[in-house]
Amino acid sequence: MFGKKKEDNGFFTRLKQGLSKTHQAVTRKIEEATIGRREISEDVLDNLEEALITSDLGIATVDQLMGTIRWQVKRNELNDANKIKISLREAIREILVKTEQPLEILPVQKPFTILTIGVNGAGKTTTIAKLAAIFTQQGHSVMLAAADTFRAGAIEQLEIWGERTGCKVIKHAPGSDPSAVAFDALQSAKAHSADILIIDTAGRLHTKAPLMEELKKIERIIAREHQDAPHETLLVLDATTGQNAISQARIFSDALKVTGIALTKLDGTAKGGVIVGISDGLHIPIRYIGVGEKVEDLRPFNAGDFVDALFDD
Ligand SMILES: Nc1nc2c(ncn2[C@@H]2O[C@H](COP(=O)(O)OP(=O)(O)OP(=O)(O)O)[C@@H](O)[C@H]2O)c(=O)[nH]1
Ligand SMILES: [Mg+2]
């Protein structure tokens, strides 16, 4: 196992460092609730339940996990409080593994088109830059569409990343129609035979209906102009927003066909447990996780590594 981690260019170490606050929040509380108790009393179970709720796992998920624990206690399969951590770890791994579905760049008619959406500041543009670097390294040609025409400086921000990653950026003037940018970018990517087109969009509150309509329009235009596109609608969620990330995901996926999630900013937050609630409650593949601001800090989501980083000391 160590060999695998070593080959990982230190990402496992960064993942572990990034998750250290969540690790502390989750495991310390579980340990406080369980370690040194010989019997599993109602008290221990109540404390454990509270520990999980305050670790941002979400009520429904905690109910389910506690149901399993209580069942195991009842059947005498769990007769030692110290074993609770092991049982929880396995139950959490089982939840996470269901949404471990890395994004595959399918051999579709070019370009494979990725529409990126999410609330303000979630990490969309940074994630696009990181993806551009990953895909370019894999030998794909990548183009970017600056369809965030709303926020001042958004186009320049994407252009800087385009320069750094060597990807062409298609843009219009600030304030222009984002779906027109998406349309042009698609034509240009086809003309250049680009493998992948990634479309940046303006951050929007999921509660603002006209802005959601604007996103739907982009989705419609891409679908009309290109077969089976968008091939991926990637919702970027900020882990530091905790349970709010789950309600964002519900509202965005009511409006658009969200096919994948990138969960950013898992570093520096104690709310990383939210990934379990996202996995359990939404059934949308978690494609990537972000544990830092650097390009190499975005990685395909791997449930096993995540659980190891979360529980191991
Ligand atoms: N620590 C940390 N910071 C991140 C991560 N991902 C993004 N950020 C930071 O979050 C901030 C916002 O990122 P952006 O990519 O501009 O977010 P956005 O969703 O495009 O924002 P808008 O365009 O305003 O909607 C930046 O300072 C990023 O460096 C991450 O995984 N970890
Ligand atoms: Mg942005």
Side-chain angles (χ1 to χ4, degrees):
M1 195 150 86
F2 189 62
K4 177 185 149 219
K5 308 282 159 62
K6 256 170 74 175
E7 275 168 31
D8 212 10
N9 292 331
F11 184 75
F12 184 75
T13 313
R14 277 206 298 283
L15 176 64
K16 190 140 185 48
Q17 276 166 3
L19 287 182
S20 64
K21 285 196 180 155
T22 301
H23 163 74
Q24 279 179 17
V26 178
T27 54
R28 189 177 290 165
K29 284 183 203 155
I30 293 172
E31 281 165 6
E32 275 170 12
T34 56
I35 277 188
R37 319 276 170 129
R38 257 177 298 145
E39 277 172 30
I40 303 181
S41 60
E42 259 318 298
D43 231 22
V44 168
L45 292 174
D46 286 348
N47 286 343
L48 181 67
E49 183 161 13
E50 200 187 317
L52 294 175
I53 289 172
T54 54
S55 301
D56 263 278
L57 270 73
I59 306 272
T61 307
V62 173
D63 274 353
Q64 190 200 320
L65 289 169
M66 286 308 297
T68 309
I69 299 275
R70 285 178 196 276
W71 173 246
Q72 288 172 329
V73 171
K74 212 170 166 186
R75 289 168 51 117
N76 248 345
E77 291 167 2
L78 208 59
N79 52 11
D80 172 354
N82 294 307
K83 288 188 189 147
I84 285 185
K85 192 171 154 190
I86 301 168
S87 170
L88 262 181
R89 179 192 181 127
E90 182 49 27
I92 288 178
R93 199 194 60 81
E94 272 174 25
I95 291 176
L96 291 180
V97 95
K98 287 188 196 144
T99 46
E100 179 197 278
Q101 280 169 50
L103 178 62
E104 261 185 85
I105 305 299
L106 300 167
V108 293
Q109 200 182 6
K110 288 182 190 180
F112 185 91
T113 305
I114 303 172
L115 177 63
T116 320
I117 61 173
V119 302
N120 306 75
K124 293 176 294 300
T125 309
T126 317
T127 300
I128 290 170
K130 292 167 173 175
L131 287 177
I134 292 173
F135 295 146
T136 309
Q137 249 173 19
Q138 291 171 346
H140 296 295
S141 56
V142 181
M143 280 174 65
L144 309 177
D148 178 356
T149 58
F150 179 73
R151 185 170 62 76
I155 299 170
E156 290 78 4
Q157 188 192 0
L158 196 69
E159 280 185 306
I160 292 170
W161 282 117
E163 262 169 47
R164 284 193 200 155
T165 52
C167 300
K168 194 171 163 57
V169 177
I170 304 300
K171 62 168 185 174
H172 284 189
S176 53
D177 180 359
S179 39
V181 181
F183 177 89
D184 269 3
L186 198 51
Q187 304 313 323
S188 179
K190 282 183 185 174
H192 286 86
S193 219
D195 296 325
I196 300 171
L197 172 68
I198 314 179
I199 302 168
D200 192 15
T201 61
R204 62 202 68 223
L205 270 181
H206 47 301
T207 45
K208 291 261 160 74
L211 293 177
M212 295 304 272
E213 285 307 316
E214 188 184 83
L215 270 189
K216 285 195 215 170
K217 186 175 164 197
I218 300 177
E219 185 189 48
R220 260 198 321 274
I221 292 207
I222 301 169
R224 192 187 71 201
E225 296 301 316
H226 193 38
Q227 202 184 358
D228 299 328
H231 304 95
E232 174 83 353
T233 298
L234 187 68
L235 173 64
V236 180
L237 298 174
D238 173 347
T240 65
T241 61
Q243 292 305 298
N244 193 259
I246 298 185
S247 37
Q248 286 168 27
R250 288 196 204 287
I251 297 174
F252 272 102
S253 50
D254 279 347
L256 286 97
K257 194 177 175 311
V258 176
T259 52
I261 287 172
L263 186 63
T264 64
K265 308 190 201 178
L266 278 162
D267 54 308
T269 177
K271 294 177 188 274
V274 70
I275 197 170
V276 184
I278 290 176
S279 218
D280 190 37
L282 295 167
H283 310 290
I284 301 170
I286 298 176
R287 306 293 199 188
Y288 295 94
I289 54 169
V291 290
E293 292 183 278
K294 297 205 198 82
V295 161
E296 60 272 22
D297 290 330
L298 185 81
R299 273 299 175 99
F301 171 58
N302 179 290
D305 281 355
F306 194 93
V307 171
D308 288 351
L310 191 59
F311 281 94
D312 287 349
D313 286 320

